[in-house]
Amino acid sequence: MRAALLLVPFLFLASCGDPPNRLYGSVSQVFSLNFDKVQAIRVGDEVSVEYLRTSGQTVLAKTVKVTVSIGDIQPVAGTDVDLTAPQANGLPRGTVQRVESTTTDFPLQVGKIHFDQEPVANANITGLFRTTLADPAGRTLNGDFQTKVEAP
């Protein structure tokens, strides 16, 4: 009986983890990080993870959109991909944006994205991204995701 009583608080705490899809960081003092759902899209060598604000089936805004070029990285699963690393064309490997009535680009000081599984069409994936922004300077923007990869 005593062991059962000690187990109850542990089970309660174990069920109180963070949600699988979330956005957080100090950029929330400048921009709202509210969203309703997450989608991942794979087009060629690029993967985007989008945190969407919706009304029914209508997308009102992309609170955050992280896009990364992964074509030359094998395997991607389990790898921390540096979003700021230059590609062969000199452009950063990844971008972070906010898309509402206009698009706001968030230049990165540092950033990484991590996929727990290979981001291929129809795969269920989990992962995270962590960034420090150059503008607004020094603000952080982080996210966790769990979704199915779509291919248009």
Side-chain angles (χ1 to χ4, degrees):
M1 176 70 171
R2 184 176 195 179
L5 289 176
L6 292 174
L7 187 59
V8 171
F10 174 76
L11 292 174
F12 176 74
L13 289 174
S15 68
C16 294
D18 292 323
N21 293 314
R22 66 184 183 131
L23 287 172
Y24 58 97
S26 62
V27 78
S28 67
Q29 297 167 354
V30 180
F31 295 100
S32 168
L33 297 181
N34 293 333
F35 69 95
D36 300 302
K37 72 179 208 169
V38 174
Q39 72 179 14
I41 301 173
R42 172 84 185 249
V43 178
D45 290 342
E46 288 193 346
V47 178
S48 65
V49 178
E50 303 174 351
Y51 295 77
L52 307 174
R53 203 168 57 246
T54 61
S55 176
Q57 296 297 314
T58 303
V59 174
L60 302 175
K62 295 178 183 178
T63 302
V64 171
K65 177 182 177 183
V66 180
T67 304
V68 60
S69 177
I70 59 169
D72 60 343
I73 302 172
Q74 294 300 323
V76 173
T79 302
D80 287 344
V81 179
D82 184 350
L83 297 170
T84 63
Q87 299 179 75
N89 62 10
L91 296 174
R93 180 171 297 281
T95 61
V96 178
Q97 300 174 309
R98 177 181 189 81
V99 183
E100 291 191 306
S101 57
T102 61
T103 299
T104 303
D105 292 320
F106 293 121
L108 301 176
Q109 286 180 353
V110 294
K112 70 175 183 174
I113 190 166
H114 182 94
F115 297 98
D116 294 327
Q117 299 80 20
E118 289 295 319
V120 295
N122 299 313
N124 291 315
I125 61 169
T126 57
L128 57 88
F129 73 92
R130 304 288 183 261
T131 66
T132 301
L133 308 178
D135 185 22
R139 300 279 183 178
T140 59
L141 175 58
N142 306 306
D144 301 328
F145 54 87
Q146 178 179 353
T147 190
K148 185 174 186 173
V149 179
E150 301 173 23

